[in-house]
Amino acid sequence: MSLINHPNVVKAFCSFVVEQFLWVVMPFMAGGSCLHIMKAAYPDGFEEPIIASFLKETLKALEYLHHQGYIHRDVKVSSLLLLFVERICIS
């Protein structure tokens, strides 16, 4: 994963194993996960335009990974990390 180069995929600096646990060192994503944001600010769920935006960018990342021969085996909202967050207001 340290060779991955796509704006929508977090680059891994390194990884190592301690006992039976795999640790992956990645940049700090201050925005948190989509799940964290949804629970904190959108308890009734995201509006459709927000979901569409997240899905569009996620699919770009997955397409890149698949073309590189990788498969992400655990895609879920807690796996979608954000670098920063602004309060999203849809009118």
Side-chain angles (χ1 to χ4, degrees), residues 3-81:
L3 301 176
I4 296 299
N5 186 20
H6 189 276
N8 294 356
V9 179
V10 178
K11 190 173 184 106
F13 294 132
C14 68
S15 61
F16 54 92
V17 176
V18 176
E19 297 175 5
Q20 73 270 22
F21 299 101
L22 173 64
W23 291 80
V24 181
V25 180
M26 300 185 296
F28 177 65
M29 304 301 284
S33 71
C34 285
L35 179 62
H36 174 78
I37 295 163
M38 188 171 61
K39 285 183 174 183
Y42 297 89
D44 295 327
F46 293 123
E47 293 91 359
E48 281 187 32
I50 297 171
I51 296 168
S53 177
F54 286 151
L55 286 176
K56 178 182 175 184
E57 298 306 316
T58 301
L59 290 173
K60 287 179 186 178
L62 289 172
E63 179 183 38
Y64 170 81
L65 289 173
H66 290 177
H67 278 106
Q68 299 299 312
Y70 295 99
I71 297 174
H72 191 299
R73 296 162 64 184
D74 195 23
V75 178
K76 59 185 182 256
V77 290
S78 61
S79 297
L80 303 179
L81 303 176

